Amino acid sequence: MLVKHGARRLRTSAPAIIRSKQNSTRASDSAGIKPLESILIANRGEIAIRVNRTAAKHGIRTTTLYTDPDAAAQHAHSSSRSFNLGQTSEYLNQAKILALAKDHGCQAIHPGYGFLSENADFARKCAEAGITFIGPSPSAIDDMGDKARSKEIMNAAGVPCVPGYHGSDQSESKLASEAESIGYPVLIKAVRGGGGKGMRIVQSAGEFSDMLSSARREAMNSFGNDEVLVEKYITTPRHIEVQVFADKYGNSLALGERDCSIQRRHQKILEESPAPELDDSIRKDIWQKARAAAEAVKYEGAGTVEFIFDNDTGKFYFMEMNTRLQVEHPVTEMVTGLDLVQWQTMVAEGRRLPLTQDEVEERINSRGHAIEARIYAENPDKGFIPDSGKLLHVRLPAASDDIRIDTGFIEGDTVSSHYDPMIAKLIVRGETREDAVRKLAVALEEYEVAGPVTNIDFLKRCCESKDFAEGRVETGYIPKHHDELFSKRQPTPEVLVQAALSSLLQSQISSPVSDSTTSLLSWSAPQSNLQSRRFHFRTDDEDPAPGSSPTIYEVEVQQRAPGSYQVSTLGQSYTISSTFNPLTKTLTTYFPHTRHTSRIITSDSTSSEPGIPSSAPIHLFTPQGSFRLQSATPSWVAKALGTTEKANSLLSPMPCKILRVDVKPGDVVKKDQMLLVIESMKMETVIRSPGEGLVVRRIVHGEGDVVGSGVELVEFEEVEQ
Ligand code: ADP
Ligand code: ADP
Ligand code: MG
């Protein structure tokens, strides 16, 4: 697997080699130092692999865990000692994990992020069992894990907070009246929330009740607690956070800040350090407030203090503290040249922080700019709905000192719908921000993933959008730049021809007559000889409203001789030659002025969920960018021509469970009116009416039903064009 370490990492073979006068390990401290020789990694995916890498580098033995759906996952094979916890949710089984740690002589547990990482109860049980929890004390987790309580502590410590109500009266009337006095818009947040879940913006009093119950349901579902707080919704903020570190001796450091304003679903997708266009005095002030926050709870280890920064006023407010290693920690590693997992281990061993604040700043000032892009299996064109399925093809950009890829998957692995759909993190460093942004755009262009839909193209469009490139970021960036970021590219004739030849080949490879390996190896040229064939495609991202037609592209292919074809599409017609390499499964087509190469992915393996078959899209990576084309089946073509009564139905965008149905047959609905609420991967998505004045004819599935992708959900009366 191509996984690259952080650029110019601390070149030390043992921890704490770099010593400063202020923080040097004194002889009197060595009594408190307990070197770690064996740790258990209680997490999965890229973070388990990343922790393992540092452990291996420092001669620490690791034990990893997996669950039934993760049995074939990379992290389960990243250590020679790996144990099956059983069912999907067992990464949260505290007793089982502790018993394994004890039985196998692990001195410490690294919890990664998510799962048990911010669970004070678990940290307490570790201590009782004599196992070091690599993280802060249970009381610091308790103080900070509750967004309401942490705000009280911060207010007392002189750290500014967003105005709001975080009291214990959870009655709807109290919360609504507090919202009224804060003034709309307000934000409802689960006090135990994380990962952007359990959060709802409320624009006006009329929506409050619905939004409150939705936030509570999601919070209960994700965090087992439905307490909420209400705070002022800041309309044009940036998300700026500070990486802090503290040791057992009361020393704290700010390892710079990260700007994580580019978000969807209140969750980060691009993170960078330093924050662009930020006044140096404000920057230093934020660092200082973050250290004060850490010190207020006697923090130990790695933590992140998140602030919301009002671009208009230059004021910032404490939002929350994450008492764990953060997903985006590599950005900080790139700009400090430090290994934060190694630092976590050092602190857990009872060592002092090895640098002073001045020394950290010196490093930050000389190491340029870093950006991370989170690569997710999700569909930006359908509201960033998570996707899952087998990674049929993966091609990574070349890793280097300045390009790092942290991933838990390789080609052939499956992104499971049971867990987070993040596939990888791509982190780049440049001398300047401009340099880093350019490198990131190129690396994203080089990154190919076929199988689940990903956000790679979307991330690339973000990098290339002018305001981002020039550092004008804010949390509302994506909706504000909608037209620019979601612009549709039309497939070129070359792309369509390549898709048609791929389909032709694919149908031969996966023909049930022979198994795919032999037919691949014996393939020379389609033998459908001189007869001409027509193919129909539609782009995968096009989601036509009921009653309107998707664009169908037709390609006609006629074979003239083995490997030589006469093709026509989009009013163009030409003779081309095409070769197929069965070993690499690549199809190369020579057009008059260019060449297209694509991997042929056999369709038998594209079913994303057991029991929920889906049609296989064709993935093409071309000089014009990547395309996903869906073969337009006869029923689709018929639908496009408006000849079936299914033309006015709304289809499920992904495999999901129907939580709520808000309309009934006969209802006339407005555009964007809420029709249904569905749930997938513990996330709620509202399905809204695609048009104005539609009449609901039939609700095909009821509450509680579990359906696959592309299943009819609501049928409307015929819509007059
Ligand atoms: P970060 O703040 O490090 O960028 P995210 O907020 O995106 O990370 O969350 C990282 C992962 O941890 C996600 O998988 C998210 O669902 C999970 N997560 C975060 N906070 C919690 C929490 N309190 N409880 C459970 N899972 C959480
Ligand atoms: P989580 O624990 O899910 O990470 P946060 O409290 O950190 O929740 O908020 C997540 C994101 O939601 C922030 O990064 C920011 O974009 C947005 N957000 C949070 N609070 C506010 C607010 N008061 N006003 C506007 N946006 C906010
Ligand atoms: Mg947060």
Side-chain angles (χ1 to χ4, degrees):
M1 185 172 24
L2 255 165
V3 176
K4 179 70 188 157
H5 275 239
R8 280 175 255 147
R9 231 4 116 55
L10 243 182
R11 299 202 196 283
T12 55
S13 52
I17 293 269
I18 298 177
R19 292 204 180 105
S20 66
K21 286 179 201 92
Q22 186 192 314
N23 287 340
S24 66
T25 306
R26 286 182 228 114
S28 59
D29 295 339
S30 62
I33 294 176
K34 185 177 153 206
L36 294 178
E37 283 157 16
S38 174
I39 65 172
L40 181 140
I41 302 171
N43 213 298
R44 65 185 297 278
E46 65 89 17
I47 193 64
I49 292 173
R50 191 259 164 276
V51 171
N52 196 47
R53 197 158 62 226
T54 291
K57 191 168 157 195
H58 295 285
I60 298 172
R61 184 170 291 121
T62 58
T63 299
T64 51
L65 304 174
Y66 61 95
T67 54
D68 294 334
D70 268 347
Q74 297 307 309
H75 77 270
H77 299 269
S78 65
S79 137
S80 58
R81 296 200 301 179
S82 199
F83 297 98
N84 186 1
L85 293 168
Q87 290 171 7
T88 309
S89 60
E90 294 292 279
Y91 288 117
L92 293 169
N93 189 328
Q94 305 186 21
K96 211 183 254 182
I97 293 171
L98 271 170
L100 280 167
K102 274 192 280 190
D103 290 352
H104 297 280
C106 306
Q107 297 156 287
I109 294 182
H110 195 299
Y113 54 72
F115 297 117
L116 297 171
S117 63
E118 292 179 279
N119 190 313
D121 185 35
F122 182 65
R124 216 164 269 127
K125 283 183 192 150
C126 286
E128 282 159 18
I131 288 170
T132 303
F133 175 80
I134 302 183
S137 67
S139 72
I141 301 177
D142 264 340
D143 288 344
M144 289 301 189
D146 183 312
K147 286 183 208 257
R149 182 142 150 212
S150 67
K151 286 188 176 151
E152 276 152 33
I153 297 170
M154 288 308 115
N155 274 326
V159 180
C161 296
V162 188
Y165 171 74
H166 24 83
S168 58
D169 186 345
Q170 290 286 310
S171 67
E172 184 176 327
S173 56
K174 172 69 177 171
L175 295 170
S177 81
E178 287 292 339
E180 204 64 54
S181 57
I182 295 163
Y184 287 98
V186 299
L187 192 62
I188 300 175
K189 274 188 196 179
V191 302
R192 290 279 166 190
K197 288 178 197 158
M199 211 183 287
R200 295 291 182 275
I201 302 167
V202 193
Q203 300 290 354
S204 62
E207 295 177 4
F208 192 83
S209 178
D210 272 358
M211 291 298 181
L212 177 64
S213 38
S214 171
R216 278 192 165 145
R217 236 185 354 253
E218 194 171 271
M220 184 50 86
N221 205 347
S222 300
F223 314 111
N225 175 311
D226 67 358
E227 262 171 74
V228 298
L229 61 81
V230 183
E231 65 185 29
K232 179 81 199 150
Y233 181 68
I234 298 174
T235 42
T236 51
R238 287 168 67 176
H239 174 119
I240 296 180
E241 59 183 35
V242 181
Q243 175 69 57
V244 293
F245 243 99
D247 63 20
K248 286 184 167 42
Y249 311 97
N251 301 305
S252 76
L253 290 174
L255 302 187
E257 80 286 352
R258 295 182 289 251
D259 188 302
C260 312
S261 299
I262 310 295
Q263 308 181 339
R264 48 95 187 90
R265 295 179 177 281
H266 303 297
Q267 217 193 25
K268 308 150 186 169
I269 49 174
L270 285 169
E271 300 113 329
E272 60 182 304
S273 183
E277 307 293 318
L278 187 66
D279 198 83
D280 210 49
S281 62
I282 298 177
R283 206 167 157 234
K284 296 290 163 59
D285 193 20
I286 292 191
W287 292 9
Q288 202 40 51
K289 293 289 188 310
R291 288 174 72 180
E295 284 165 15
V297 293
K298 297 198 168 49
Y299 200 76
E300 277 171 38
T304 296
V305 186
E306 297 189 334
F307 295 94
I308 194 150
F309 175 75
D310 191 334
N311 238 346
D312 301 329
T313 62
K315 282 196 179 138
F316 57 85
Y317 307 96
F318 170 83
M319 205 159 38
E320 64 161 344
M321 180 168 186
N322 293 323
T323 55
R324 55 175 159 96
L325 193 67
Q326 201 101 340
V327 174
E328 59 274 21
H329 76 277
V331 167
T332 301
E333 297 189 321
M334 286 289 221
V335 292
T336 57
L338 301 169
D339 179 336
L340 299 196
V341 174
Q342 185 207 352
W343 273 40
Q344 286 189 296
T345 321
M346 278 165 35
V347 170
E349 287 176 336
R351 296 178 201 271
R352 283 173 180 270
L353 295 174
L355 297 176
T356 63
Q357 188 65 45
D358 285 346
E359 288 167 330
V360 168
E361 285 182 43
E362 237 168 76
R363 284 170 167 258
I364 290 175
N365 292 337
S366 64
R367 293 188 49 90
H369 201 97
I371 312 182
E372 171 180 282
R374 296 196 197 182
I375 295 173
Y376 280 94
E378 67 181 20
N379 191 339
D381 292 313
K382 293 185 182 167
F384 298 96
I385 275 166
D387 200 9
S388 53
K390 188 166 173 178
L391 297 168
L392 302 170
H393 163 76
V394 175
R395 179 181 175 279
L396 302 181
S400 68
D401 273 359
D402 287 344
I403 298 188
R404 162 174 170 182
I405 298 153
D406 280 19
T407 182
F409 300 96
I410 60 169
E411 181 170 301
D413 287 348
T414 295
V415 179
S416 154
S417 64
H418 298 298
Y419 301 109
D420 195 275
M422 189 172 78
I423 298 173
K425 307 187 298 200
L426 170 63
I427 312 103
V428 303
R429 195 197 71 87
E431 290 308 322
T432 59
R433 183 173 189 274
E434 203 186 340
D435 187 28
V437 172
R438 197 180 49 242
K439 278 186 187 167
L440 181 59
V442 172
L444 285 165
E445 206 166 294
E446 296 285 305
Y447 211 127
E448 297 178 357
V449 174
V453 186
T454 73
N455 64 344
I456 295 175
D457 276 356
F458 181 80
L459 290 167
K460 192 171 148 261
R461 266 175 266 149
C462 284
C463 283
E464 287 169 350
S465 72
K466 189 161 182 288
D467 282 340
F468 180 78
E470 292 172 3
R472 284 186 298 276
V473 294
E474 58 173 287
T475 58
Y477 194 88
I478 293 174
K480 211 167 253 185
H481 295 76
H482 185 276
D483 292 351
E484 188 182 357
L485 299 176
F486 294 87
S487 68
K488 299 264 178 291
R489 280 169 313 136
Q490 298 303 320
T492 60
E494 287 84 359
V495 166
L496 292 168
V497 168
Q498 182 76 352
L501 292 176
S502 303
S503 286
L504 188 63
L505 196 52
Q506 215 172 42
S507 66
Q508 307 214 336
I509 292 170
S510 52
S511 89
V513 186
S514 56
D515 82 271
S516 62
T517 331
T518 38
S519 72
L520 261 178
L521 291 171
S522 60
W523 192 85
S524 57
Q527 295 305 306
S528 47
N529 51 47
L530 302 177
Q531 128 203 15
S532 128
R533 285 190 61 177
R534 276 166 208 268
F535 295 87
H536 295 96
F537 299 101
R538 61 187 172 93
T539 54
D540 205 44
D541 52 12
E542 204 178 351
D543 208 5
S548 70
S549 314
T551 314
I552 299 286
Y553 299 94
E554 187 178 78
V555 190
E556 190 169 348
V557 178
Q558 184 175 19
Q559 190 174 4
R560 298 162 62 104
S564 170
Y565 306 85
Q566 182 70 36
V567 294
S568 59
T569 185
L570 297 176
Q572 304 246 25
S573 177
Y574 28 61
T575 308
I576 50 157
S577 66
S578 191
T579 60
F580 177 62
N581 179 337
L583 289 176
T584 56
K585 297 189 200 170
T586 51
L587 177 74
T588 305
T589 304
Y590 297 89
F591 293 92
H593 302 292
T594 184
R595 169 181 64 83
H596 273 36
T597 302
S598 49
R599 288 282 299 274
I600 298 299
I601 293 143
T602 47
S603 55
D604 53 32
S605 44
T606 50
S607 157
S608 53
E609 292 287 319
I612 307 176
S614 59
S615 56
I618 295 170
H619 298 252
L620 297 169
F621 302 95
T622 77
Q624 283 83 41
S626 74
F627 290 86
R628 258 173 80 100
L629 293 171
Q630 196 81 43
S631 178
T633 55
S635 64
W636 256 99
V637 177
K639 179 173 165 181
L641 300 173
T643 52
T644 85
E645 75 264 297
K646 291 244 161 37
N648 295 316
S649 50
L650 191 75
L651 309 181
S652 62
M654 58 183 161
C656 61
K657 180 174 168 188
I658 295 165
L659 287 186
R660 232 173 80 189
V661 178
D662 270 23
V663 285
K664 55 183 188 318
D667 283 0
V668 180
V669 293
K670 295 205 194 77
K671 182 161 169 43
D672 292 330
Q673 182 177 334
M674 184 189 282
L675 302 177
L676 309 165
V677 181
I678 59 169
E679 183 207 76
S680 179
M681 298 171 132
K682 292 200 174 168
M683 236 181 292
E684 290 192 10
T685 302
V686 175
I687 305 284
R688 295 179 186 279
S689 163
E692 187 65 37
L694 301 179
V695 183
V696 176
R697 177 190 284 174
R698 198 161 70 96
I699 309 290
V700 189
H701 291 276
E703 290 178 7
D705 285 2
V706 176
V707 300
S709 179
V711 171
E712 186 177 25
L713 297 176
V714 178
E715 196 186 310
F716 300 100
E717 300 285 337
E718 280 302 327
V719 183
E720 291 303 319
Q721 291 294 306

